Amino acid sequence: MAIATPPHPLRHSAELHGVTKEFGSGTSRVRALDDVSVTFPGGSWTAVMGPSGSGKSTLLHCAAGLDRVSSGRVLLAGKDITAASDGVLTALRRRTMGFVFQNFNLIGSLTAEQNVALPLKLAGSRASRQDVHAVLTEVGLADRVRHRPRELSGGQQQRVALARAMATRPAVLFADEPTGALDSSSARTVLGLLRRMVDEAGQCIVMVTHDPGAAAKADAVLFLSDGRIVDRIVRPSALEVADRLARLEG
Ligand code: ADP
């Protein structure tokens, strides 16, 4: 399966408008996102950075409809999903959106190829075994298709999780630290794949990362602090990103 073709006819975006997200209540209430407004345009790749606890994962989960917001509006591929039913969200997840979780969320009893094939089957796609193998080959796992997650290293599991999210060619891909468990050569491969998904297929990618080198591959970097967007750098260098992050982390 050629990941980069065909181009998405509509360049779908993800949008947050005045989003606040609170957890807990009373004295234990935490405001993880505080009036965040941002548009992640189709055909662009945005890295999200910030100190630990600044709200990066919450932003991703809210934008993807995995978490309900406390106030504000969330749009995914032009649809207002703020109060969407579970059925609508499930359909969007199958057809429009991919998510790479920080802890991979692979199904332990399934092989790598079965994990990758699952969302395709759920979306009603008649993807062949060759298609699934092609995606696993793209992430460098051609020789691991029949391994189960426990038989794979953390980095290999992360690449299976990425292949699973890429296989449906989602218009919008959210990735929470997709290179966090990878050695530098695998990270280069994965970042190259993400770049192609954006440049050749017009997909929208939103990626949380701690790595200034990875962030510098994106089109723009958004910086969060205490649940607020405090800065944005377009076409950044790794040095600029590292410098901005160091200042935020104090
Ligand atoms: P980051 O990804 O930048 O490390 P998070 O989005 O995970 O930050 O968390 C932002 C804030 O929200 C933190 O203070 C965290 O403790 C809190 N938080 C996140 N998820 C939950 C939750 N499920 N319940 C309570 N607090 C949470």
Side-chain angles (χ1 to χ4, degrees):
M1 181 186 293
I3 287 160
T5 55
H8 274 279
L10 294 172
R11 298 195 155 201
H12 287 305
S13 61
E15 299 172 43
L16 300 183
H17 296 282
V19 164
T20 293
K21 172 67 182 174
E22 292 182 334
F23 292 104
S25 58
T27 51
S28 61
R29 180 174 305 190
V30 174
R31 184 166 284 201
L33 293 179
D34 188 2
D35 194 20
V36 169
S37 295
V38 60
T39 294
F40 303 106
S44 79
W45 177 5
T46 306
V48 180
M49 303 192 89
S52 179
S54 59
K56 303 180 294 296
S57 292
T58 305
L59 184 149
L60 234 58
H61 286 223
C62 287
L66 298 172
D67 257 353
R68 300 270 180 194
V69 302
S70 306
S71 61
R73 286 197 315 137
V74 183
L75 274 73
L76 186 65
K79 278 198 175 57
D80 190 328
I81 61 162
T82 316
S85 67
D86 288 345
V88 168
L89 288 174
T90 303
L92 267 176
R93 264 175 226 137
R94 286 180 186 164
R95 299 205 180 87
T96 310
M97 189 260 284
F99 203 103
V100 184
F101 291 91
Q102 210 173 48
N103 58 358
F104 319 139
N105 276 8
L106 296 174
I107 297 179
S109 57
L110 300 183
T111 63
E113 65 179 344
Q114 289 167 337
N115 266 289
V116 173
L118 189 61
L120 289 164
K121 279 191 187 153
L122 291 173
S125 155
R126 292 169 44 186
S128 66
R129 175 169 266 190
Q130 283 94 320
D131 291 335
V132 169
H133 284 202
V135 186
L136 281 163
T137 302
E138 295 260 16
V139 297
L141 291 177
D143 55 349
R144 293 288 187 280
V145 294
R146 293 203 179 80
H147 287 59
R148 292 192 162 69
R150 66 170 179 281
E151 298 158 346
L152 297 168
S153 71
Q156 289 166 340
Q157 290 180 51
Q158 186 157 47
R159 284 182 281 155
V160 175
L162 182 71
R164 181 178 61 179
M166 290 185 341
T168 54
R169 298 182 198 160
V172 184
L173 177 76
F174 298 100
D176 202 346
E177 300 223 42
T179 57
L182 302 184
D183 59 78
S184 55
S185 151
S186 304
R188 260 198 310 280
T189 302
V190 161
L191 293 168
L193 281 173
L194 297 181
R195 187 72 261 168
R196 278 177 45 207
M197 289 168 73
V198 173
D199 290 347
E200 296 173 23
Q203 286 161 282
C204 165
I205 298 181
V206 187
M207 168 185 86
V208 167
T209 183
H210 282 113
D211 176 3
K217 305 282 187 214
D219 299 307
V221 184
L222 214 64
F223 294 89
L224 284 183
S225 178
D226 292 332
R228 288 178 160 267
I229 295 173
V230 292
D231 205 356
R232 180 169 180 270
I233 310 183
V234 176
R235 290 259 165 227
S237 73
L239 264 179
E240 280 175 290
V241 174
D243 179 56
R244 189 69 191 91
L245 194 61
R247 277 189 280 141
L248 271 183
E249 287 176 341

